[in-house]
Each structure stands twice: as structure tokens, then as C-alpha cells.
Amino acid sequence: MVLTSVEKMVGLQKRTCGIRNICVLAHVDHGKTTLADCLISSNGIISSRLAGKLRYLDSREDEQIRGITMKSSAISLHFVKGDQEYLINLIDSPGHVDFSSEVSTAVRLCDGCIIVVDAVEGVCPQTQAVLRQAWLENIRPVLVINKIDRLIVELKLTPQEAHMHLKNILEQINAVTGTLFTSKVLEERAEKESESETVSDTVSGDQIYDWSAGLEDTDDSHLYFSPDHGNVVFASAIDGWGFGIEHFAKLYSQKIGIKPAVLMKTLWGDYYLNTKAKKIMKGDQSKGKKPLFVQLVLDNIWSLYEAVMKRDKEKIEKIVTSLGLKIGARESRHADPKVHLNAICSQWLPISDAVLSMVCNKLPSPLDITAERVEKLMCVGARTFDSLPPETQELKSAFLKCSSEETAPVIVFVSKMFAVDAKALPHNKPRPLTQEEIAHRRELAKQRHAQKLAANQGKELSEKPSNDNSSDVTGNTGDTKGEEQQLAAQVENVTLKAMKDEADNKESFVAFARVFSGVVRRGQKIFVLGPKYDPAESLHKLSSQCSPTNDLPSVPHMTCCTLENLYLLMGRELEDLEEVPAGNVLGIGGLQDFVLKSATLSTSPACPPFTPLNFEATPIVRVAVEPKHPSDMPQLVRGMKLLNQADPCVQVLIQETGEHVLVTAGEVHLQRCLDDLKERFAKVQISVSAPIIPFRETITRPPKVDMVNEEIGKQQKVAVIHQTKEDQNKIPEGIQVDSDGLVTISTPNKQATLSVRAMPLPEEVTRLLEENSDLIRTMEQLSTSMNEDKKTHEINQKTLDRIKEFKEKLEQNLQGRRWRNAVDQIWSFGPRKCGPNILLYNFDGYERSVWQCLGNAVKGASKYRDFDNSIVSGFQLATLSGPMCEEPLMGVCFTVEKWEINKIGETLSTSSQDSGEGDVIEHKQSEDTTLTNSCPDEVCSVNEHEDTSQSVPKSSEKISKQKGEVLLADCYGPFSGQLIATMKEACRYALQAKPQRLMAAMYTCEIMATAEVLGRVYAVLSKREGRVLQEEMKEGTDVFIIKAVLPVAESFGFADEIRKRTSGLASPQLVFSHWEIISSDPFWVPTTEEEYLHFGEKADSENQARKYMNAVRKRKGLYVEEKIVEHAEKQRTLSRNK
């Protein structure tokens, strides 16, 4: 029976200080949903007997089948502690790495979180990930060490060993928190240093360096989990018990007569009880005594388990009576001792009381939101809080007050949209009938029954034999009329039913949101702010006082909408609400046309959009989807739009080839998305391609040894029977390739010549470029706005410092003769102007820098200035699809060593001897005016001095037109287009002049396995090209942790195979980690004697890189060189050559 009504909840929502917004975070299978069940059962929503078996918050069918949570779902609970009443908004989140995006959506809406850790497995990779997410969002964690029953039943540890084990786990968790804290302190210290940057000169003149990192002075005691702080609960959710040590401190203070405060401090730690002196003494280990925690707490739990498991009736009765509990006969007679145990423990140490009282004591209410967190939420991208408009900065006080007054601005954050069956919405639910309605229905039923009887009697009369024919006819006509009416009624019923079904099947979207300020009311009009909305720009157009009800000018990234319905989220149920005050989590209906995945809603246009959610998992698994019947295409497209809205992490794209592609975070996530498409959103049969695996192309330095580890150049070459690599990449005419890889190529109209060289970038540089892609994008935007002479005062100091630091790091990593001045000569990054490849210019007469925003903008123009964008575009195209299999490039540096533009002079001046002068037109000019506008004036003045017989046109327009005609109106098309194509070709040939390699995406794979199945795990890994990095044994258990890397291409079905081979004893966690070069050359053929001996003439042993390359080429419809047997007759033996 549900103990709290919706009215009661609405009343509790108004008391902000009594609200706690919390989420449950943990590694997969550590018991989050079971813990949530126990907390829900305390409100009577589910029976306490079913807690842990029902998994109430796993409402999807596939969640129940797989036994893992796949989406975050919220429920509101009521908790009474003494005379205080609390409303606890609990969000259960998934632990599987594929669904870590759902964790991000849950964490954003909360003020605190419960970290659950399995007592046997300890800290796992995902535990670290969720701790990091909680840390990044500035929310306070508390700890529940769950599954302690496994220490007793499975591992059969003694209380003393269990105590040591629990201490180890706490140390591990505090170590993770400590590293997060340390990095933050060091960052803050570095910032302070860079601000002050004053060197303290001592009397002796020597510089004293302060070695302390500032860690000693900063207080971090509040961060760590410790039972005596009251932020740790020991529990076994499946058995329904849990306790914090304060429970036992109170209990024993009465028995022993020691103050509870003293017991709180000493129950955990190296203390023991001297029973004679009735004193608590320090140093249990050295004296071989039992620690207090073991003696007073664990011994009791262990003896209870022992008694129940061994069915020791006398002992059980003794324990039950001493604890003063009442156990029903049904439980005590039950065949399963666990049921009996659950009945005793859940009354003695109820887990819900322990966890919820810890939550209410230790976690903050919405009123306690920190100023640091508010500033973090309000600052998008590289902006600092001080650079926001003053109206926006004023909103900070509204956040901190979290007030529900009429005047307070409404600020709501929507973290995700989730799909709900239209039947589940409150207004569509069947409601109980009133007495009048029941009476009315009874009357209707009686009338229908009477009509039926009358109709049946009429039929019987008409069927009686009569001599009169006419009566027959009339009877028949009457019958047919009746049938027609029946048919019409049936048809009407069918159509009504179809319409009703359609309405029922429709998916409704509910926004999962939290109110940060003000009161949200049903039917209220509100602004929806997209992630790119900038309050500074819109406040010029709108007054800060305007409201969404006024007629407003259109502002980019901002729309108005009405909040149709507000819902209280109750797990699988939704309840209607009229208004929701600040600090609460709620569902909002009617936003599906305005919000895609997440958004900020506000009544004030000065409100900035919140910082985007940071997702731990990167979507990497792609599949192409198409309907089985082409006529279902519109449904599929509509379904994919809905899926994109319903899942925070999935990406839906249409590729250039026209394929519809789903990008997901992993196999389990992919399976869930496909199931949703088939059964909920598109409702059509679909066929799915094999996963599309991304690769990257790169080049390496020429290898020192060949395939049989012989030094190259030392051994004898043999007559090459089939094509060598050089023949495969035949260079067409008109392209010169030097021995050191410099490619020279001219445009089709021979007006310009380019020389390009490709070089591999050092690994550190590639990594640096990848990590700073957002910063490079910001630099690109700043450069563009500077070129267009827009206002640039918005560049704040912090961004500039980051750009400077990035530049310094690049300079440190690009050292040596080959990279002299390389950083200053960077022309562009690519692909998409922010990728991990670099374009350098290394020819005279041209200067341009990507570091414009640092103040060293080059205000100069040259003959190249007009067409430099064409070169950059060619480079972008070349890096977007490489020559091996049209995949993007990575870690390649292209240098343009020569760029000659011929005959410009001839087109500008009339006589041929002026061509030299025309070539060297260099006129200092601001960056945004182009060559065509300014240069001809100078040419005119040059021409006036020369006595040429022909008339020289003086107007600049005519000359620029002449120049343009030759350069642009060409039989080969526009000159800029020719340059783009030539540059792209030059880059591709420069690449092919060097040893090419494929790069594969790699997963890091963490596997927990017991010793007996280790061999099988290794077998599966080696079969799939995996590489083990380390294995370590978990202290106090027989579990090994194996860390390995595995190519994404080989990972499909990996988890299933490991589970099958190890009978479910090992399960892997795969997270995308990095790109790695595949060492084998895809174009390799044997050329030396040793290689022939080793590999044979055909060398047809499997070449991994070639296999991957050909698979991608086949998929893209490119030419694949394969030997196909045309006439497969019986093979003739060589000895009998007939």
C-alpha cells in the first residue's frame, strides 16, 4: 500500500530545505537497483518481500531480461526522521559503460550521490568513472559498501579478515578521490602562479623554489569517506540490512556506558575495548586484540548468519528475543534460510533508514548549491563568469537563493527527453467510475439487452411459414435492413478502434528536468535556449525585462513554448502536477517539438544556456540501417528522428552515400537502439549492415628492417616476379616525385605550380592536436571574426592563455632541424579545420598565421593572398579522405615548399616585359580587402611611367576584369577550383611517396576473472588481436584484473564469446581509448630472397592491414585488387605437363 499521497508530495515540494536530489552511481552489477528497491519499499510502493527481486525502476522489458539498467529513472520518496520530513528525489542510473551518458544526465540534476561499491569486487573501472563524473559536476558523494553478505557466505572470511578487507576498499576509494582532489589543487595553484608571476628575490639573490604544491595547506578532510564522519553505510541490499556506525554507537553507549560521541570516533580504527577497565585503548594490532568494529559489530552479524544458515533454532530464538523483534511463522518455516535472514535483518538494521538518514544528514539541499557550481553551469565553452553580461551575472543570486517567489526568474534545465507510451500518461489512464456512472451504464446495458430480446422475437415471427408471399418479401427486406445497420455499426466500431489504437501507440516525450529557480506552472510560456544561444547578443535586441508572452523579434537559438503538462516522476508512473517550486526534479510534457536532447528553459532572456553535459563514452560503433520493404522508408526516417531525441548518446546521420547511419557507444547500446527502432519508434522490419568500423590513414618513417628482421639494403634483391609497391602507385605524367618524397604538380592550365612534401608528425603532437580540437576550433572562429573585422573584444584572457600554452607545447614537441620555425608557419589544421593534421607553408613572399588571435596578425598582401583559401580547401579535402581507402588522415604534416603563380603579370600589363613587375606586386594591405580591389591601382601607376604605344586602361575595374578573364574563365573551369583539385592531388601523391599505414581504433578492455578461467580469457584475446598490458591480483580475493587493448574491428561478439568460454565467470568492460598504427604494410610484397623463403612467392599469408583496407574499399564500392578464379577446372600437376 502506498503510504504517501500525491497531495502530501506537493506539500513537501514547497519546503526547499527538506528536499534531497540524489542519484545512485556504481559499476555494473554492484546493486544500485536492488538498493533503490529497498528504499522504494520503505514508502510502501512495493512489498518489502519483493525488494531486490522486482527491480522496480528497471521498467523496460530488455532491462529485466538482461538484468542491467539501461536508462536513468527517477522516483520521489517521503522520509520522516524525528520531527523532520524530507522529500527525496532518487534517480537510479545505469552502471554499464555503454550507458554512461545516462549517468551524466542524472548527475546534472542532483546535488548529491550515493556511490555503491561491491564488497567483494571493490573499486572497478566504472566506479572511478562515476566518481569522476560526480566530481566534475561538483556534487557531494556518500558511500554504501554493498553485498557484505558475500564476504560471509561466498568468501567465508572471518570477521577480522572482513574488517581488513573493508579497510582496503575504503583506502582504494579514498585514493581515487584523492587523485581528483590533488589535480584540482595543482590546477588552482598553477592559475594563481600565472596570475601573480612575481619572482621572490631573496637577500642573497638566489631564487628560492617552493617545492610544496599547496596540498599541505588545503583542507581535504571533508572529501574522504570514513565511517566516523557518518558518510559510509555497510549494507547488504538483497538481505535488506544496512547500518552506519552511529546506530551501534547509540546502542552500545547505553550498554557499556561510554558516550556515543566517543564511540563514533573509536568504532572504526585501531581501538580495542579493555573489558576489565571498561576503557577504550589504542593499538589493537600490536597487542593482538580484536578491534572494536569486529568485536561489537561484525561478530554479531557473523553469528546471526551462522545461526540462520545452519538452522540453529535455539540460537535464532535467543537472538530474536534479545533484539526484541517479531518474526512471522511463514518466514521462520520457509525452506530458504535467506528469507528468514531477510526477515530478521530488515527489522533489526533496516537499510532504508540507514541510507536515507545518511542522505538527509550528509548531502546538501538545493539551497546549499555552491557559487562555484553555479558559475561552472553558467559559463559555456571558454567564457569566464566575469565576461558574461551584467544582467546574466545578476541571475547568480537567483540560483543561490533557489527561491520560489513570484518575482524570481524561472530557470529550468532539461537533461534528456524520454519516450513514454501515450497510455501511461495520467490523463489517458483508466480511472475508477463513480456511483452515478455505474448506475448509468447498468441502465444502458439493460436497454441493450431488451432490444436484443425484441429483435430475436421478431426474427422468430418472420421465420414462421406463411402462405402469403408478400409477407415473405417484407420479412426479408426487414432482415437485410437490420443486417446493413449491423454492418455499418461494425465498420464504425472498427474505424473508431483503429483511431484509438493509433492514439495509444503514439510515443509521447517527457522532458527530464530540474527547476533551479522560480516556480514552474502548467500552461506557462517560457523561452527555450539552445546550446549556442548567447545572451550578450540577444540583449541588444531585447530588453532584459521582456517576457515570453510579448511579441519578440526573432533571436537565433531561442524559441518560445508553452509547458503543457507537469509530471511527478514516480518510477513507472507519472502523476499530474499544477506547479513545481524551485529545487525539484520533474517531468515536462509537450516539449518534443522544441527540445532535441537537452536545453535550458527560462523566463529571462539574460539566462545563459547551461554547460553541455560531459559524456564519458564516445560513440564509435556505426551501422547502416534500411527498411526491409522500401515503402517503409518514411516510417524509418521518422523513427530515427524519435530515437535520436530519446537517447542522449546516439547519433543519427545520413552519409554522403545516402545511407542512414546509427552511431552508438557499444554493442549493448546498439542492440537497445535497434530494438527501440523496430518495436517503438519506426515499427517496421529493418535490415542492419555489419558494423562500419572507422580507420585512419597515416604515414611512417621508412622501416629499418624488412619483414624477416633483416637490415634493409644489406641483402640481395631477387628478380621480382610480380608487382612491387612502386609499380602499384604508378605516378601519372606531369607529376615529378623526388627521391626524398617532394611532389611537384601544375594546375591544368599551367598557371600555377605546387611542391608538397608529407611528413609523419610525432605521436605527442598528434595526441596534443586531438585533445585540443575544441581550442583549435575556437582559434579558427576568432581568426574568421578578425578577418571580417568583427568586434574581437570578447576574447578573454583565459582563452588566450590556453592558446599560448598550446603553442608552447607544440614548440616543445616539434624540435630539431626538420621542424625549424614549423609552429609559426602553420597555415591550417585539418580535416574540418580542427583535425590532427597540419599544413605548413615554407616559401617566400607569403605570410599568414593561425596564431592571429595572439596579436601577431599579419596585415600584408601578396600575389598569393587571393588564392590561399583554395590551397587550404584542397588540404582539407585531402585530409578528409586518404588514398588507401578514403578514410580521414591522422598525424600527417604537409609542407608547401614552392608555389609559383605564372603569367599574372602578362594579364595585368600589356607588354610582355612588364610580366616580371606584375609578378612582384606586393602591396601592404589590410587582410580583408582582396587582391583584385587594390593591386591594379599600383599597376596603373607603374604603367604610366613606361612609354608604351598602346593605351593603358586606367580604371581598376577593367584591369581586374582582364586578369579575371584569363585566370577564371578558363576551359578548365575557375582557377580557384583548379588549385583546390591540384592541391588535393599533390597531397595524395606526397602521401603515397612515403610508407603508408592504417590506424585502427582501439578499446581498452578491463576483464575481471578468477584464476581457473585465465587461460581461456587469454585465448579469446589473442584470437582477436588483443594485447595484454597488465594483470594484477585483487588483494584478499582470487580475482585477477586483466588490462588489455583490443581493436574495435575485432570487438564484435567479444563480450559474448568471453562469457561463453568462461561460463560467465569473466565479463569485459570496453571503452574507446586511442588510435594505433597497424604495423604491417598493406601494400607489402616479398622482394628479397629471405622474404621469398619465409613467405613464399605469393606471400598470401594473412596481412591484417590489407584485410582491413580491402574490407573498407569493398564497402565503399572502390576498386579492390583480388585474384578471382574464373575457370575452376581440375588443377593439372606440374610434373605431367600435357
Side-chain angles (χ1 to χ4, degrees):
M1 179 195 122
V2 180
L3 305 173
T4 6
S5 63
V6 177
E7 289 74 33
K8 176 83 181 165
M9 292 287 191
V10 171
L12 288 170
Q13 282 187 340
K14 295 190 172 118
R15 264 191 70 249
T16 317
C17 60
I19 297 171
R20 297 286 182 274
N21 297 318
I22 58 164
C23 52
V24 191
L25 308 176
H27 187 80
V28 66
D29 279 340
H30 278 201
K32 293 177 295 300
T33 310
T34 308
L35 175 67
D37 266 8
C38 296
L39 304 183
I40 294 166
S41 70
S42 69
N43 269 222
I45 296 169
I46 62 172
S47 140
S48 57
R49 283 200 194 106
L50 287 176
K53 300 180 187 73
L54 190 62
R55 302 208 309 281
Y56 182 73
L57 289 179
D58 286 357
S59 49
R60 294 170 56 103
E61 193 182 346
D62 48 0
E63 287 181 313
Q64 290 287 349
I65 293 167
R66 275 183 187 264
I68 59 171
T69 309
M70 295 189 184
K71 54 154 191 8
S72 43
S73 38
I75 192 160
S76 297
L77 304 175
H78 172 220
F79 178 62
V80 182
K81 186 172 177 246
D83 54 351
Q84 286 277 354
E85 285 192 278
Y86 293 96
L87 172 69
I88 291 172
N89 295 320
L90 176 80
I91 305 178
D92 180 30
S93 68
H96 195 286
V97 66
D98 283 11
F99 304 109
S100 59
S101 56
E102 292 278 350
V103 178
S104 309
T105 61
V107 167
R108 171 59 62 88
L109 304 185
C110 295
D111 302 305
C113 63
I114 302 173
I115 305 278
V116 183
V117 175
D118 185 328
V120 176
E121 292 184 4
V123 177
C124 293
Q126 209 50 28
T127 318
Q128 295 178 10
V130 293
L131 266 167
R132 189 164 55 248
Q133 275 176 313
W135 178 264
L136 288 173
E137 287 286 353
N138 287 32
I139 69 171
R140 197 178 300 164
V142 290
L143 180 68
V144 172
I145 297 183
N146 191 20
K147 302 196 184 185
I148 290 187
D149 60 302
R150 288 182 66 189
L151 299 180
I152 310 172
V153 183
E154 280 179 35
L155 298 186
K156 299 195 167 38
L157 300 182
T158 63
Q160 194 103 11
E161 290 167 343
H163 181 227
M164 290 303 298
H165 186 76
L166 292 171
K167 268 169 97 171
N168 278 347
I169 286 176
L170 262 175
E171 272 170 27
Q172 287 171 11
I173 295 166
N174 286 334
V176 176
T177 320
T179 48
L180 291 169
F181 176 71
T182 311
S183 60
K184 183 190 172 198
V185 171
L186 293 177
E187 267 173 33
E188 282 176 357
R189 183 179 163 83
E191 276 174 23
K192 275 180 196 163
E193 276 182 359
S194 63
E195 279 165 21
S196 56
E197 276 192 343
T198 51
V199 180
S200 58
D201 287 332
T202 55
V203 185
S204 62
D206 296 333
Q207 183 184 342
I208 289 182
Y209 184 74
D210 178 15
W211 288 103
S212 74
L215 285 170
E216 293 80 7
D217 320 329
T218 38
D219 177 35
D220 56 356
S221 57
H222 61 283
L223 284 174
Y224 296 120
F225 299 112
S226 171
D228 49 351
H229 289 170
N231 59 4
V232 178
V233 160
F234 301 96
S236 165
I238 198 81
D239 288 343
W241 61 267
F243 63 88
I245 58 173
E246 61 273 7
H247 174 90
F248 281 98
K250 279 179 200 158
L251 192 85
Y252 282 112
S253 67
Q254 297 153 3
K255 279 193 177 179
I256 310 172
I258 295 174
K259 289 178 189 162
V262 175
L263 275 170
M264 264 300 282
K265 285 204 174 72
T266 53
L267 255 176
W268 183 261
D270 296 342
Y271 300 96
Y272 71 96
L273 185 64
N274 187 331
T275 37
K276 286 180 186 169
K278 286 219 166 179
K279 278 184 182 170
I280 292 174
M281 316 284 258
K282 203 169 171 45
D284 60 328
Q285 306 236 317
S286 53
K287 295 171 188 167
K289 304 277 200 228
K290 270 189 183 176
L292 266 183
F293 188 69
V294 173
Q295 193 178 350
L296 303 183
V297 182
L298 295 185
D299 278 350
N300 295 321
I301 295 171
W302 256 246
S303 57
L304 171 63
Y305 264 81
E306 199 179 356
V308 177
M309 289 303 180
K310 289 182 178 170
R311 298 292 173 93
D312 187 341
K313 282 193 179 170
E314 289 171 15
K315 198 173 177 188
I316 293 171
E317 276 170 21
K318 193 176 167 189
I319 292 173
V320 170
T321 47
S322 69
L323 292 172
L325 311 175
K326 289 195 177 81
I327 304 298
R330 176 182 168 189
E331 276 89 1
S332 53
R333 288 192 198 127
H334 201 285
D336 184 3
K338 279 273 190 184
V339 174
H340 195 182
L341 196 64
N342 193 330
I344 299 170
C345 294
S346 56
Q347 285 186 43
W348 173 37
L349 301 168
I351 187 171
S352 54
D353 285 2
V355 173
L356 293 179
S357 61
M358 170 172 74
V359 163
C360 298
N361 290 339
K362 292 290 161 193
L363 296 184
S365 74
L367 292 173
D368 305 330
I369 188 167
T370 57
E372 186 187 3
R373 186 175 179 204
V374 172
E375 288 185 17
K376 223 175 183 181
L377 287 178
M378 291 171 79
C379 302
V380 181
R383 304 198 62 165
T384 54
F385 184 70
D386 308 328
S387 70
L388 295 168
E391 295 94 333
T392 305
Q393 292 189 32
E394 283 165 23
L395 288 176
K396 182 177 169 183
S397 59
F399 269 102
L400 293 170
K401 276 186 201 157
C402 194
S403 68
S404 307
E405 296 162 13
E406 294 297 317
T407 51
V410 177
I411 302 172
V412 179
F413 181 70
V414 175
S415 75
K416 68 165 186 171
M417 304 290 286
F418 62 97
V420 179
D421 260 344
K423 294 175 198 161
L425 294 176
H427 51 264
N428 293 345
K429 275 188 199 158
R431 56 186 178 79
L433 299 170
T434 59
Q435 287 297 330
E436 295 83 34
E437 283 174 324
I438 292 172
H440 179 61
R441 288 196 175 188
R442 197 184 296 120
E443 285 304 313
L444 281 175
K446 276 182 182 173
Q447 283 174 16
R448 245 183 270 129
H449 190 60
Q451 282 172 359
K452 224 179 193 178
L453 282 173
N456 285 349
Q457 283 171 356
K459 258 188 189 176
E460 282 167 16
L461 287 169
S462 64
E463 278 169 11
K464 280 182 183 175
S466 64
N467 303 331
D468 194 359
N469 287 341
S470 62
S471 69
D472 255 4
V473 175
T474 51
N476 284 344
T477 50
D479 256 11
T480 49
K481 262 187 193 170
E483 279 170 14
E484 275 170 17
Q485 279 173 348
Q486 273 179 327
L487 270 171
Q490 277 173 353
V491 169
E492 202 171 304
N493 277 347
V494 168
T495 50
L496 279 170
K497 204 173 181 188
M499 280 163 70
K500 198 175 176 213
D501 278 357
E502 206 170 290
D504 283 353
N505 289 339
K506 205 170 164 238
E507 292 289 337
S508 284
F509 278 90
V510 175
F512 192 38
R514 167 168 171 190
V515 189
F516 281 91
S517 160
V519 183
V520 178
R521 292 189 171 76
R522 192 166 164 179
Q524 183 177 20
K525 279 204 150 192
I526 199 160
F527 292 126
V528 179
L529 315 175
K532 289 185 182 172
Y533 171 73
D534 184 6
E537 281 184 25
S538 64
L539 286 172
H540 298 310
K541 298 185 185 177
L542 314 167
S543 73
S544 60
Q545 302 304 318
C546 71
S547 76
T549 45
N550 311 355
D551 284 337
L552 300 169
S554 67
V555 175
H557 308 294
M558 175 166 119
T559 50
C560 262
C561 78
T562 310
L563 305 178
E564 290 175 16
N565 295 300
L566 306 178
Y567 302 116
L568 177 68
L569 302 167
M570 291 297 289
R572 303 179 183 192
E573 311 287 319
L574 295 169
E575 301 288 349
D576 263 325
L577 295 174
E578 284 303 315
E579 61 174 45
V580 179
N584 283 291
V585 172
L586 77 158
I588 306 175
L591 288 181
Q592 62 246 51
D593 300 335
F594 302 99
V595 178
L596 179 63
K597 295 191 183 201
S598 64
T600 311
L601 313 179
S602 176
T603 49
S604 157
C607 179
F610 281 27
T611 326
L613 298 164
N614 36 19
F615 293 148
E616 285 277 321
T618 32
I620 187 110
V621 181
R622 294 167 171 250
V623 289
V625 186
E626 59 181 25
K628 284 225 170 116
H629 307 294
S631 56
D632 293 335
M633 198 67 197
Q635 281 103 301
L636 179 69
V637 173
R638 196 168 63 242
M640 286 180 86
K641 273 187 189 159
L642 294 176
L643 174 70
N644 187 27
Q645 195 166 14
D647 192 308
C649 190
V650 77
Q651 291 175 11
V652 174
L653 322 162
I654 298 178
Q655 287 196 316
E656 301 91 58
T657 50
E659 290 175 303
H660 287 74
V661 174
L662 276 185
V663 194
T664 59
E667 265 189 287
V668 185
H669 185 209
L670 171 67
Q671 201 50 54
R672 189 195 80 172
C673 291
L674 294 176
D675 289 346
D676 274 358
L677 254 188
K678 284 181 215 161
E679 286 153 29
R680 292 181 71 176
F681 300 127
K683 294 199 172 87
V684 294
Q685 287 294 306
I686 56 177
S687 50
V688 182
S689 74
I692 300 169
I693 299 133
F695 287 98
R696 296 281 181 269
E697 297 183 23
T698 189
I699 51 176
T700 57
R701 290 206 178 148
K704 298 269 193 307
V705 293
D706 65 8
M707 292 293 280
V708 282
N709 289 340
E710 292 273 339
E711 221 171 297
I712 288 182
K714 289 282 172 72
Q715 68 297 56
Q716 181 191 355
K717 292 261 181 190
V718 294
V720 177
I721 298 172
H722 47 3
Q723 289 180 316
T724 60
K725 184 184 165 192
E726 281 74 33
D727 297 342
Q728 285 182 346
N729 304 329
K730 278 209 176 101
I731 306 288
E733 289 174 30
I735 297 171
Q736 299 163 6
V737 181
D738 294 1
S739 56
D740 62 344
L742 183 71
V743 171
T744 309
I745 182 171
S746 300
T747 51
N749 64 1
K750 303 287 183 277
Q751 296 285 6
T753 308
L754 288 168
S755 294
V756 179
R757 172 180 280 121
M759 288 192 289
L761 282 173
E763 264 180 53
E764 301 79 36
V765 177
T766 313
R767 198 175 309 121
L768 197 64
L769 293 176
E770 269 201 298
E771 285 163 6
N772 290 299
S773 61
D774 289 343
L775 189 63
I776 297 172
R777 202 177 282 123
T778 314
M779 279 162 49
E780 178 63 33
Q781 286 163 357
L782 292 174
S783 303
T784 315
S785 64
M786 284 171 90
N787 289 350
E788 291 167 7
D789 270 357
K790 276 191 181 173
K791 53 181 189 309
T792 54
H793 60 85
E794 283 175 17
I795 311 177
N796 62 44
Q797 198 52 44
K798 203 172 177 186
T799 315
L800 284 178
D801 290 346
R802 281 178 62 205
I803 293 173
K804 275 181 192 155
E805 188 190 345
F806 171 55
K807 188 179 177 186
E808 281 164 19
K809 278 186 187 166
L810 273 180
E811 281 167 350
Q812 283 166 16
N813 287 319
L814 289 176
Q815 284 179 343
R817 192 173 51 81
R818 291 165 57 215
W819 300 107
R820 192 172 298 136
N821 300 338
V823 177
D824 293 321
Q825 293 176 341
I826 295 178
W827 197 349
S828 175
F829 299 95
R832 302 198 174 87
K833 298 201 173 175
C834 60
N837 303 289
I838 294 181
L839 176 65
L840 305 179
Y841 59 88
N842 195 5
F843 52 92
D844 300 332
Y846 178 79
E847 278 189 27
R848 178 176 179 171
S849 172
V850 283
W851 311 108
Q852 258 180 308
C853 42
L854 293 177
N856 51 1
V858 185
K859 297 278 181 193
S862 66
K863 59 181 175 179
Y864 305 118
R865 190 33 108 209
D866 234 12
F867 300 112
D868 57 358
N869 280 339
S870 303
I871 298 287
V872 172
S873 302
F875 161 74
Q876 300 294 347
L877 286 172
T879 50
L880 197 57
S881 58
M884 273 198 283
C885 50
E886 305 286 327
E887 290 286 304
L889 301 184
M890 187 169 188
V892 182
C893 167
F894 291 104
T895 315
V896 179
E897 306 225 337
K898 192 173 74 178
W899 176 17
E900 292 174 355
I901 299 183
N902 317 327
K903 300 187 180 170
I904 284 191
E906 288 173 25
T907 60
L908 288 175
S909 61
T910 45
S911 59
S912 58
Q913 72 252 32
D914 295 340
S915 63
E917 286 163 2
D919 229 4
V920 202
I921 296 165
E922 287 196 24
H923 163 67
K924 295 294 172 203
Q925 148 218 24
S926 68
E927 251 187 43
D928 50 339
T929 57
T930 57
L931 190 76
T932 41
N933 292 343
S934 64
C935 284
D937 295 336
E938 190 173 315
V939 175
C940 296
S941 61
V942 169
N943 287 333
E944 278 168 11
H945 296 300
E946 300 193 6
D947 297 325
T948 47
S949 54
Q950 291 138 327
S951 65
V952 178
K954 293 281 190 294
S955 78
S956 62
E957 286 170 25
K958 283 183 187 171
I959 295 189
S960 66
K961 201 171 176 187
Q962 279 186 4
K963 171 204 141 189
E965 275 166 12
V966 181
L967 277 180
L968 306 173
D970 198 309
C971 64
Y972 298 108
F975 184 56
S976 55
Q978 292 177 45
L979 266 176
I980 293 176
T982 309
M983 179 64 187
K984 183 184 173 187
E985 289 302 300
C987 288
R988 291 186 85 145
Y989 288 123
L991 262 188
Q992 288 173 331
K994 296 279 165 117
Q996 292 169 268
R997 294 287 183 272
L998 266 186
M999 293 182 90
M1002 302 298 270
Y1003 276 137
T1004 46
C1005 163
E1006 299 226 356
I1007 307 170
M1008 298 183 74
T1010 49
E1012 58 263 23
V1013 295
L1014 262 187
R1016 295 176 200 166
V1017 170
Y1018 278 120
V1020 176
L1021 271 171
S1022 59
K1023 175 182 156 195
R1024 291 174 174 266
E1025 308 282 328
R1027 197 174 70 247
V1028 176
L1029 301 178
Q1030 67 177 98
E1031 65 165 351
E1032 54 185 41
M1033 195 171 185
K1034 264 238 155 119
E1035 214 175 311
T1037 63
D1038 61 343
V1039 173
F1040 282 88
I1041 299 172
I1042 301 159
K1043 286 191 176 149
V1045 285
L1046 181 81
V1048 173
E1050 302 289 339
S1051 70
F1052 301 100
F1054 173 69
D1056 288 342
E1057 186 175 358
I1058 273 207
R1059 277 197 208 97
K1060 277 177 198 156
R1061 295 286 296 275
T1062 61
S1063 319
L1065 289 174
S1067 57
Q1069 284 269 74
L1070 297 172
V1071 186
F1072 174 68
S1073 141
H1074 64 285
W1075 295 91
E1076 194 172 283
I1077 296 179
I1078 302 171
S1079 55
S1080 53
D1081 178 356
F1083 300 112
W1084 178 80
V1085 288
T1087 52
T1088 65
E1089 206 161 328
E1090 287 86 349
E1091 286 179 341
Y1092 271 106
L1093 282 171
H1094 194 278
F1095 292 101
E1097 183 187 310
K1098 291 212 170 63
D1100 45 12
S1101 55
E1102 193 72 333
N1103 178 341
Q1104 199 63 30
R1106 180 181 292 162
K1107 191 177 82 177
Y1108 289 150
M1109 181 181 80
N1110 285 345
V1112 176
R1113 290 185 74 92
K1114 260 184 194 161
R1115 192 187 80 235
K1116 293 186 174 177
L1118 303 169
Y1119 167 69
V1120 178
E1121 189 179 313
E1122 275 183 317
K1123 296 188 175 68
I1124 297 169
V1125 179
E1126 285 183 8
H1127 307 292
E1129 297 112 359
K1130 186 177 178 194
Q1131 180 188 352
R1132 297 185 304 178
T1133 53
L1134 292 174
S1135 58
R1136 286 158 54 192
N1137 242 344
K1138 289 173 186 172

